[in-house]
């Protein structure tokens, strides 16, 4: 039995139990507080990050042929100056294939044990701090978000996928005895053995904003089931990927396995390698996180591989009524601000009846709702320190252009304008507060698609049913990852549930007092796969069961004596 | 709780246990013997079949627009004269979609209970006898094969898939409670409910030879997980499908469900509807059994749907040595004869070292091996009654042309010629005994593809390693569903296992004394999905887990008092 598996067995068993009962649990520290970690480790993490700047990232990669890198910190607007191995794609695939043979021959516990060890290493405070700084200065998140959302929360999603992979593999017994008579013949007695075989090389394309959150589940699900993994980071957010790839390779090598089971194919925008990876004849599995257009292109144009996508959609809120008007507005405002609404769970479209709504604070007109949403946003970000915590920066400078063009688009009126907020630490930080636009429901050409960044629409509808109809139609056409409804009417809530579910979306009802963007590992099935926002769920059995196949051998049983 | 589920719960639980331990078990009677069934039921089954001939099949179908049918009995060469509803494809899909809503809202036990009831009804002797006669006079099987192979054996594969579907669905809990603190806020406590949502309309394309064996698993896996199913039978073998579709519709209706959850789109070769079904915008799942070319076309050209295929390949035997020469030759000969080698598990390519092999009966030259294989075939079919039992007829008259062209192909020498055998009951029976051809290993253009029907090649190789190399190369290029090796050398067996597994094929070693074509439900994972002979396995978790998705609703928990 694998020593690593034994060492981490309790945490795997807890993860399996959490997946089955779907309660709240985390295996890793979410808080960067010095009360937990002391002063030294955080300082070392910062120093380790600083020490990476301005030089080639220390990472050996097969097929290296030069260096690439073009990351710019959204906080300083300065290039990080870090370069990564530029790889010959064919040589990378050769190395992956070569690594597969020994790895796929390992027993399940050895592979899963190594994966658990990777998570454990990545969950140590020293890793978490340098990972957080790297995420801050690439994805543009605030430190606290980078530490939790790209640390513990992402590791939990990885452990969750690993737990499913382990269970799916253990569902196949190693051996069986089979005996029966055919007609008048003597009894046939066979021994059978069943072997799990990986699909082949797995290509994992991570996104600019949360590369760990989708990356860990995909990588660990593929790796645990025997497949070598090539990670293709977004050119804007390569450093956090390079860090975890390095750690994974170290864990592999330290435990006697080929580090080329996890490799990285870095690129820059002007010389992309993605298509070469996707269409390589060895590519057997593709996991993609990114924009919906490219995601759907992959779904339709890569029949050579299993394809798992998580993209984006038009996340909506339908407001019918509320028994906690202030709480509701605060909750929605939090979603509009958090990570500058660059999360796949950020709300974009807020559907409100034109004649207003009934609330615990009396009737609120459409304008009252807009005003309170704006006030709630303003309250959240009036303190620059809090704004910096909550909003971070923009990962993509193109968002400024989107904001500029939308605020003067035909048919909109600006409910709240976007402007930079003064970051207390970084003068050059690429910041933008939420742009909120009022539009008529008929103007769906404008709001009926994802506008990436802190942009939202308050949409004037005939009534709550019209709001529901419009929101769920958008789900069908453009996808959704999260959907919210606020109502005190049980019948309306039932209808909303039916309609959202019918459109292939999950629904959150009347959430207040918590960050409503939060998707909980072990509990929330993230992405339904039933609408255009992606075809894969983090995590369910379907996310893992096709990553390996079963071959068997059968042979006559040797008769037992006596 | 569903009454039907309760009624059949024990059999489902037994099936789950059998899948997990993979022993031999059947839930249905395999033998048509009058010792079991008496005289009356078999006679009624025959009468029921006779009564179907020469008239429209009694089956209501939505969107009916005329009648089609062109089946000809391979035993009598007479048209059956049965017609089936010709359907308007769009109307059929509309009806399927309409049926889905109510069905998908049922709880898991109700859906699985209805599916178990279907299997139970199809497994009753009255159904089994009429099904066997219908299979005889379409697929061309002998009665005994039709009764078992298209009766109990197929129902077992259906029950096996249903057992996996049930487990996969039950893996998702119905509800959960989730609570945690975010920062300094009060504890958040949420209730969550999880709902399984079907993918959408499932199109099941059955083959001419064994429509039930692949059909039942696909239909039941889709139906149990909430999807309506449209079955597209092969124009040569529509009647057995019409029979089970009728039974399934009766069971649905009798239990208060919409019979349009299972419909049939019959066609004839000159007016095929398959492409219309595959590319219909509502098609969400495709299960295909048939030829490898069309199967691979579907895999590459239907990104609109999940695609599960079982096609065919070059099933091989590698002979290195034997400690039971006669038993080995008998076993291989049985595969060459059974169902006129029209099974997906029939052997085609027999690789033998040019210098012969060592056996328990001394050294056997290549010619000795050929001679004993021929003798074994001749022994099996010398008695016309036994030949009829074992070989049945040819489902496709085109096989005669293949035989004619191959026996005079360049580079072959005829080891055993094919000729009709005299069927003891049907003068016009379309019969052909095995054609066995000797070829050199270099002549792979000839044997390196599937030749459907009683055609086999004894392939002269440099040595056993060359045989293994050639056989496994064919697996990679052309696929394989079964593979056999005979050897007394443990090291060679190990190598063969490594090489076949490496090529993505399962392996049977030294099987004798049993029909080696037999693939056992609950025990043999049928089709690996790792080579060109298909991408789907009957049955594993991967066969079922993607047929449904998960949506969820979360909402604040009502605080409990005290």
């Amino acid at each position: 039995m694998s020593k690593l598996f034994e060492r981490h067995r309790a945490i795997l068993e807890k993860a399996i139990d959490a997946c089955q009962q779907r309660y709240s649990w985390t295996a890793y520290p979410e808080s960067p507080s010095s009360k937990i970690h002391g002063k030294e480790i955080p300082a070392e993490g910062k120093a380790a990050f600083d020490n990476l700047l301005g030089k080639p990232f220390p990472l050996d990669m097969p097929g290296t042929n030069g260096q690439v890198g073009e990351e710019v910190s959204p906080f300083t607007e300065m290039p990080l100056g870090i370069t990564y191995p530029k790889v010959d794609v064919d040589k990378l695939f050769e190395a992956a294939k070569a690594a597969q043979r020994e790895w796929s021959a390992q027993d399940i516990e050895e592979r899963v044990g190594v994966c658990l060890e990777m998570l454990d290493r990545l969950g140590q405070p020293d890793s978490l701090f340098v990972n957080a700084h790297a995420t801050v200065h690439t994805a543009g998140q605030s430190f606290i978000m980078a530490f939790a959302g790209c640390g513990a929360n992402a590791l939990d999603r990885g452990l969750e996928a690993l737990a499913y992979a382990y269970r799916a593999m253990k569902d196949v017994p190693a051996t069986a005895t089979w005996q029966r008579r055919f007609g008048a013949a003597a009894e046939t007695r066979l021994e059978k053995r069943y072997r799990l075989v990986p699909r082949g090389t797995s290509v994992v394309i991570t996104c600019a904003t949360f590369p760990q959150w989708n990356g860990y589940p995909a990588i660990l699900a593929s790796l645990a089931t025997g497949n070598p993994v090539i990670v293709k980071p977004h050119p804007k957010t390569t450093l956090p990927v390079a860090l975890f790839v390095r750690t994974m390779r170290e864990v592999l090598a330290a435990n006697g396995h080929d580090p080329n089971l996890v490799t990285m194919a870095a690129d820059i925008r002007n010389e992309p390698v993605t298509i070469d990876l996707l269409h390589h004849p060895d590519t057997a599995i593709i996991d993609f996180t990114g924009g919906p257009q490219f995601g759907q292109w992959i779904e339709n144009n890569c029949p050579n591989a299993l394809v798992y996508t998580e993209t984006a959609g038009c996340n909506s809120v339908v407001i019918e009524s509320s028994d906690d008007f202030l709480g509701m507005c605060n909750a929605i405002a939090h979603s509009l601000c958090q990570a500058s609404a660059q999360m796949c769970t950020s709300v974009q479209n807020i559907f409100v009846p034109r004649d207003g709504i009934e609330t615990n604070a009396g009737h609120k007109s459409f304008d009252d709702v807009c005003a309170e949403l704006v006030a709630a946003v303003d309250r959240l970000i009036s303190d620059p320190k809090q704004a910096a915590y909550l909003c971070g920066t923009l990962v993509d400078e193109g968002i400024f252009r989107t904001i500029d063009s939308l605020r003067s688009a035909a048919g909109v009126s600006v409910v709240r304008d976007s402007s930079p907020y003064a970051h207390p630490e970084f003068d050059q930080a690429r910041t933008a507060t939420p742009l909120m636009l009022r539009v008529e429901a008929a103007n769906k050409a404008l709001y009926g698609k994802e506008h990436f960044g802190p942009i939202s629409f308050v949409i004037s509808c005939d009534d709550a049913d019209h709001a529901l109809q419009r929101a769920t139609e958008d789900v069908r056409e453009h996808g959704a990852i999260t959907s919210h409804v606020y109502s005190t009417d049980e019948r309306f809530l039932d209808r909303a549930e039916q309609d959202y579910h019918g459109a292939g979306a999950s629904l959150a009802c009347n959430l207040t007092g918590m960050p409503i963007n939060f998707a909980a590992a072990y509990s929330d099935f993230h992405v339904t796969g039933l609408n255009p926002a992606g075809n894969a769920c983090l995590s369910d059995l379907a996310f893992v069961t096709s990553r390996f196949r079963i071959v068997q051998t059968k042979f006559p049983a040797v008769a037992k004596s006596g």
Side-chain angles (χ1 to χ4, degrees), chain A:
Chain A
M1 183 61 75
S2 156
K3 267 192 221 168
L4 292 175
F5 186 83
E6 285 306 321
R7 188 185 305 161
H8 301 299
R9 178 199 276 268
I11 215 154
L12 179 67
E13 285 173 355
K14 178 72 177 169
I16 290 171
D17 188 61
C19 287
Q20 291 187 313
Q21 303 202 49
R22 308 200 80 74
Y23 46 73
S24 176
W25 177 62
T26 178
Y28 308 96
E30 281 187 302
S31 166
S33 166
S34 57
K35 285 178 201 160
I36 300 166
H37 303 288
K39 300 275 185 203
E40 202 170 312
I41 291 171
E44 284 171 3
K46 177 69 167 61
F49 166 73
D50 288 339
N51 192 42
L52 292 166
L53 298 171
K55 59 180 87 132
F57 186 86
L59 184 67
D60 289 332
M61 203 50 64
T64 298
N65 181 20
Q67 294 280 122
V68 285
E70 60 180 10
E71 291 162 299
V72 171
S73 168
F75 283 89
T76 66
E77 290 284 12
M78 296 286 285
L80 301 190
I82 308 176
T83 60
Y84 308 92
K86 181 180 176 178
V87 293
D88 177 308
V89 164
D90 284 334
K91 287 192 181 144
L92 204 62
F93 275 94
E94 270 169 41
K97 204 172 192 171
Q100 181 180 309
R101 178 172 277 259
E102 176 266 0
W103 182 243
S104 66
Q106 297 297 321
D107 66 19
I108 294 168
E109 283 72 16
E110 177 62 17
R111 289 199 304 261
V112 171
V114 167
C115 290
L116 287 164
E117 175 73 4
M118 288 174 178
L119 288 168
D120 186 71
R121 276 295 302 122
L122 293 166
Q124 295 301 318
D126 60 339
S127 288
L128 290 171
F129 277 96
V130 68
N131 170 72
H133 287 288
T135 304
V136 164
H137 288 286
T138 51
Q141 291 167 31
S142 70
F143 186 78
I144 198 157
M145 166 64 92
F147 192 91
C150 296
N153 300 164
L155 291 163
D156 280 321
R157 289 248 91 129
L159 177 55
E160 176 190 39
L162 186 58
Y164 273 104
Y166 177 71
R167 285 184 54 230
M169 291 191 285
K170 294 303 278 186
D171 194 60
V172 182
T175 60
T177 301
W178 185 92
Q179 56 207 75
R180 68 161 279 177
R181 272 177 207 287
F182 290 94
E187 181 170 73
T188 296
R189 189 155 178 267
L190 302 180
E191 299 287 341
K192 306 190 181 189
R193 50 176 173 254
Y194 307 99
R195 196 176 132 205
L196 308 184
V197 177
R199 284 276 186 173
T201 303
S202 173
V203 172
V204 175
I205 300 171
T206 56
C207 64
T209 48
F210 286 84
Q212 303 93 334
W213 206 82
N214 296 75
Y216 291 158
I219 294 165
L220 294 171
S222 278
L223 195 60
T225 52
N227 309 280
V229 179
I230 297 174
V231 190
K232 209 309 275 178
H234 195 284
K236 284 182 184 297
T237 310
T238 303
L239 182 59
V241 175
L243 284 165
F244 72 65
V245 165
R246 182 174 67 173
T247 300
M248 289 174 171
R249 290 169 63 84
E250 284 168 359
V251 170
L252 284 162
N255 292 284
H257 301 292
D258 189 335
N260 292 336
L261 289 162
V262 180
T263 57
M264 183 175 85
D267 66 1
I268 53 178
R269 266 160 302 174
N270 286 341
E271 295 174 52
V273 301
T274 309
I275 299 293
D276 291 346
L277 296 171
L278 297 179
H279 282 168
H280 195 280
D282 285 354
T283 297
I285 305 174
I286 296 167
D287 287 271
F288 172 80
T289 318
Q293 277 191 309
F294 191 39
Q296 282 161 35
W297 183 90
I298 294 172
E299 291 171 19
N300 289 321
N301 292 281
C302 296
N304 53 308
L306 294 177
V307 174
Y308 302 89
T309 62
E310 191 222 309
T311 60
C314 289
N315 296 333
S316 58
V317 182
V318 168
I319 303 179
E320 190 271 338
S321 56
S322 173
D323 63 1
D324 180 5
F325 182 60
L326 197 60
M328 173 184 78
C329 291
N330 285 337
I332 298 169
H334 193 275
S335 176
L336 304 183
C337 294
Q338 193 179 23
S340 293
Q342 296 165 111
M343 299 171 74
C344 58
T345 52
S346 301
V347 160
Q348 177 182 293
N349 293 343
I350 305 160
F351 293 90
V352 181
R354 187 170 296 119
D355 295 336
I357 58 168
E358 300 309 313
T359 80
N360 61 315
H363 179 83
K364 297 290 177 182
S365 68
F366 185 92
D367 288 340
D368 293 340
V369 174
C370 291
E372 188 54 43
L373 286 170
V374 169
V377 167
D378 289 341
R379 280 194 299 273
L380 283 170
I381 61 176
S382 59
D383 171 15
K385 194 173 162 195
Q386 204 190 336
Y389 260 23
L390 188 56
C391 302
T393 63
L394 305 185
V395 69
D396 186 344
E397 57 285 0
I399 295 170
F400 289 123
R401 289 191 294 276
T402 313
I403 289 171
D404 283 345
S405 81
L406 281 172
R407 68 156 67 88
S408 56
V412 310
S413 56
V414 174
V415 172
R416 185 186 184 287
D417 204 358
S418 174
S419 59
Y421 70 85
H423 196 281
E425 192 179 350
F426 297 100
D427 291 347
Q428 301 298 317
R430 199 190 286 159
T431 65
T433 66
L435 175 70
M436 300 171 66
L437 302 169
R438 175 186 174 148
V439 293
E440 285 298 311
N443 201 348
K444 68 181 258 204
L446 200 65
Y447 65 80
K449 62 182 171 189
E450 190 208 14
H451 296 282
F452 183 67
I455 296 153
S456 58
F457 299 88
V458 190
I459 301 162
S460 170
C461 301
D462 297 345
D463 54 28
D465 283 335
H466 182 221
L468 188 55
Q469 179 267 320
R470 279 277 48 256
T472 54
E473 190 180 299
D474 285 352
V475 171
R476 289 179 202 273
E477 291 177 13
H478 309 290
I481 290 183
T482 50
S483 308
H484 297 270
V485 62
Y486 290 88
S487 175
T488 59
D489 179 349
E490 284 296 329
R491 285 168 308 175
F492 187 80
L493 288 171
D494 287 349
R495 212 150 67 235
E497 185 178 38
Q498 284 299 317
D499 289 359
Y500 270 107
H501 286 191
S506 287
L507 185 62
C509 304
N510 294 323
L511 295 197
T512 58
M514 65 171 284
I516 65 173
N517 288 357
F518 189 78
Y522 319 109
S523 184
D524 287 325
F525 289 104
H526 181 75
V527 180
T528 68
L530 291 165
N531 68 58
N535 72 5
C537 171
L538 298 184
S539 282
D540 60 6
L541 280 173
F543 188 66
V544 299
T545 51
S546 293
R547 292 179 195 256
F548 65 90
R549 306 297 297 181
I550 307 159
V551 295
Q552 67 176 48
T553 301
K554 54 186 175 185
F555 50 94
V558 177
K560 281 181 188 156
S561 59

